[in-house]
Amino acid sequence: MKAAVLGKPISHSLSPVLHNAGYQAQGLEHEYERHEVDESGLASFVQSLSADWMGLSLTMPLKVAAFSIVESVTPLVEISGSINTLVFGERIIGYNTDIYGIVQACIESGVAEPETCTIIGSGATARSAIVAARELGITRIELLARNSEAILQCDQIAQELGITFIAPPIDESKWQESDLVINTTPTGVADKLLPATSSVSGLLLDVIYHPWPTQIASRWETAGGAICPGYLMLLHQAVAQYELFTGVDAPVAQMRAALMDALHK
């Protein structure tokens, strides 16, 4: 059986390391690949697959484009507006394991009863972060972003979840006082947000996992806060995908070991 991760760019992805390590640990004769595919090529790629494909992992820029090819989605997909997993069977079902990945990464990193959260960015991962924040018990979210249409979509999600939502200008924000900060922006975008003289006490999750640590993560830690590396989110969302694809419990320890080995090469 086969699976793969799709996106553009995709050469940096460590998803094959995680999934193939799991298959090897459990003696499964499965293969997990990576393929560079953009929005225009997603439908034709899926149509070309044979019956021995279990599913696909999706990364940028496919998490919204996938809605055009799925036949069913889960409630978490509906509310987040983001698909990062396709599972094949009698029909194509869309899932969102990013939410689980964020929740588990934050718990593993020691977040304790957070009430406030700042999310940096407003794309698909940011929408997943809103849902994850609610699962962690967050009651107030501040969004730092510039795209007014995307901010409105995030606001609507927060309202559906009963979360107080604000999106102030960056220079009026008190985001550094948040119990939890989740950076969902690409490499380098948020690096200059945190002044070197800042003092913080919350947890920062930066979804970027390579190179690590990012500049904002290093500054956050220096300023007194705890950091949650993006590779923990990568690990836990992959664990959920693995179980959706194979139908068996994932060998988390072996997947984690393979990931850490790859990151240190």
Side-chain angles (χ1 to χ4, degrees), residues 69-256:
I69 63 171
V70 295
E71 297 164 273
S72 178
V73 298
T74 67
L76 288 179
V77 166
E78 289 183 347
I79 194 167
S80 66
S82 177
I83 297 170
N84 80 321
T85 309
L86 300 179
V87 176
F88 303 143
E90 294 183 0
R91 54 183 176 169
I92 302 174
I93 303 177
Y95 293 83
N96 183 328
T97 68
D98 283 335
I99 296 168
Y100 176 82
I102 292 170
V103 170
Q104 294 304 311
C106 290
I107 291 173
E108 182 174 331
S109 297
V111 70
E113 300 182 352
E115 295 181 359
T116 59
C117 176
T118 293
I119 297 171
I120 305 172
S122 57
T125 305
R127 297 195 298 274
S128 296
I130 294 172
V131 182
R134 184 66 188 91
E135 292 194 5
L136 288 166
I138 297 292
T139 57
R140 182 180 183 275
I141 285 178
E142 184 173 286
L143 191 79
L144 299 185
R146 296 176 179 174
N147 185 318
S148 57
E149 184 176 343
I151 291 172
L152 179 59
Q153 188 175 7
C154 290
D155 188 6
Q156 292 172 338
I157 293 171
Q159 287 186 38
E160 288 185 46
L161 295 172
I163 300 172
T164 300
F165 179 92
I166 61 171
I170 292 176
D171 58 358
E172 296 178 14
S173 169
K174 296 183 179 179
W175 68 275
Q176 297 164 37
E177 300 176 7
S178 293
D179 298 328
L180 175 64
V181 176
I182 304 174
N183 176 35
T184 70
T185 59
T187 302
V189 173
D191 282 347
K192 305 299 183 182
L193 285 180
L194 188 66
T197 57
S198 297
S199 176
V200 301
S201 60
L203 175 71
L204 168 72
L205 163 61
D206 195 331
V207 302
I208 297 167
Y209 60 84
H210 185 74
W212 184 263
T214 58
Q215 186 173 325
I216 189 173
S218 294
R219 287 189 174 185
W220 187 270
E221 188 171 39
T222 300
I227 55 175
C228 175
Y231 59 75
L232 288 181
M233 175 189 169
L234 176 70
L235 168 66
H236 290 295
Q237 66 83 27
V239 164
Q241 286 182 337
Y242 184 99
E243 295 178 351
L244 288 169
F245 292 159
T246 66
V248 299
D249 292 342
V252 181
Q254 290 91 334
M255 292 171 71
R256 184 192 300 269

